[in-house]
Amino acid sequence: MNLPLDDRPTILVVDDERLNRNALAEMLGGEYRVLLAKDGPGALAHAQREAAQLLLILLDVSMPGMSGYDVLGALRADERTAGIAVIFITGQSDDAAEEYGLNLGAADYVSKPIRPAIVRVRVRNQIHLALQKRALERLAQIDGLTGLANRRHFDAQFDRAWRRCERAGIPLGLALVDIDHFKQYNDRYGHLQGDEALRTVAQTLQAHARRPDDLAARIGGEEFTLLMPGDESLVQRIEDFRQAVVAQAIVHADSPTGFTLTVSCGLVVARQLDRITPTDLLQKADTLLYTAKFQGRNRTVTWTQP
């Protein structure tokens, strides 16, 4: 039974011969979402645009202008596409050429003329491996308690977001969030209820990470962050989040800030990334967070780069 269209794994077929492209698309289209490209530049454009969904590329070795080897080298040099599996399609039977392609990072070879049964099996095997790999990568990026991104994933995304915003000349927003008097909460109500409070705050923060590029993460025991590349609405977003936590009305009898669970937030928006470093930005947000705590907690302290 075919999967619904949006749920099918995505593959890309790259071949300069239209008949070959169409034959592979017809052969695989019932089980996979198939994209087509007729040359190297078209393949790279598809791969970069579809990197989040693309699991496998069937790539012709011999193409005019940009060979399959050249395309594979470009894929591996781009962090967005470096992990996409590639099966080379070739009319050659040269062992040295096959070894060369495998050493470049190809996952497998398919020989012309195409044998449908063999192609289906090899594609299915690589898709299975790619799905397993992505599942493991996702597990390695997730905080097990809250389901948010973990510190490792945040660090990687912060680095990518910084470089992208610097290249594009767009702002980068970062907020650090800390639950107020959380040790006292754990001491009074126990760690199981403390874990539930952490999950509630995490879900509330995630609800305010509304754009695809926004990232909500847990980076410490009761410390969270919201990363927002290219958007200066972070100030209002974080204040809405803080008020939403208050609205949860989680009882905290030992809290001096109103007897409910609250959060403090330090927030920075950098507009000129060439005039500040990533470390400086994190330190600035951390300083503002402690300023919020010093001023009485349950508040947001912000700084926007002029």
Side-chain angles (χ1 to χ4, degrees), residues 33-254:
R33 173 179 173 244
V34 181
L35 308 175
L36 302 177
K38 65 179 181 180
D39 55 26
L44 294 176
H46 270 303
Q48 291 162 1
R49 185 168 56 249
E50 298 273 351
Q53 286 76 40
L54 187 57
L55 295 177
L56 177 65
I57 300 175
L58 295 174
L59 179 58
D60 188 17
V61 171
S62 300
M63 296 185 295
M66 192 177 193
S67 73
Y69 298 137
D70 296 331
V71 174
L72 180 56
L75 290 168
R76 295 296 179 257
D78 188 332
E79 65 179 15
R80 295 169 293 179
T81 60
I84 300 172
V86 170
I87 294 178
F88 272 136
I89 304 172
T90 180
Q92 304 172 6
S93 57
D94 183 353
D95 289 345
E98 183 170 342
E99 180 182 359
Y100 179 72
L102 292 172
N103 283 331
L104 281 179
D108 205 347
Y109 263 82
V110 169
S111 298
K112 296 178 181 178
I114 296 297
R115 292 175 291 171
I118 297 299
V119 171
R120 290 191 186 97
V121 169
R122 294 192 172 181
V123 166
R124 192 174 298 123
N125 288 344
Q126 291 303 323
I127 291 293
H128 179 68
L129 290 172
L131 289 171
Q132 284 186 324
K133 179 184 174 184
R134 291 205 174 183
L136 289 172
E137 288 173 345
R138 178 166 174 77
L139 284 174
Q141 296 170 351
I142 298 279
D143 173 63
L145 177 65
T146 65
L148 295 186
N150 59 19
R151 179 60 188 258
R152 176 185 178 187
H153 188 43
F154 165 75
D155 287 342
Q157 289 299 104
F158 180 57
D159 179 64
R160 292 190 187 101
W162 183 280
R163 288 186 279 116
R164 183 169 67 84
C165 290
E166 187 173 29
R167 284 195 306 268
I170 57 178
L172 177 63
L174 172 71
L176 295 183
V177 175
D178 194 79
I179 300 178
D180 296 326
H181 306 293
F182 192 67
K183 182 181 182 303
Q184 292 91 324
Y185 186 90
N186 268 334
D187 289 345
R188 182 176 182 95
Y189 299 106
H191 288 281
L192 288 179
Q193 195 161 333
D195 287 349
E196 187 58 37
L198 286 169
R199 282 190 284 266
T200 299
V201 171
Q203 291 164 6
T204 306
L205 184 63
Q206 182 62 61
H208 289 78
R210 295 169 186 155
R211 302 176 312 138
D213 289 339
D214 295 347
L215 180 73
R218 183 188 181 201
I219 57 174
E222 65 268 21
E223 190 169 1
F224 301 85
T225 184
L226 181 60
L227 179 67
M228 286 181 54
D231 191 338
E232 294 196 40
S233 68
L234 179 61
V235 176
Q236 187 59 52
R237 194 86 62 86
I238 282 293
E239 183 57 19
D240 290 344
F241 155 73
R242 186 192 64 78
Q243 293 179 17
V245 172
V246 173
Q248 297 280 345
I250 301 170
V251 176
H252 186 355
D254 291 339

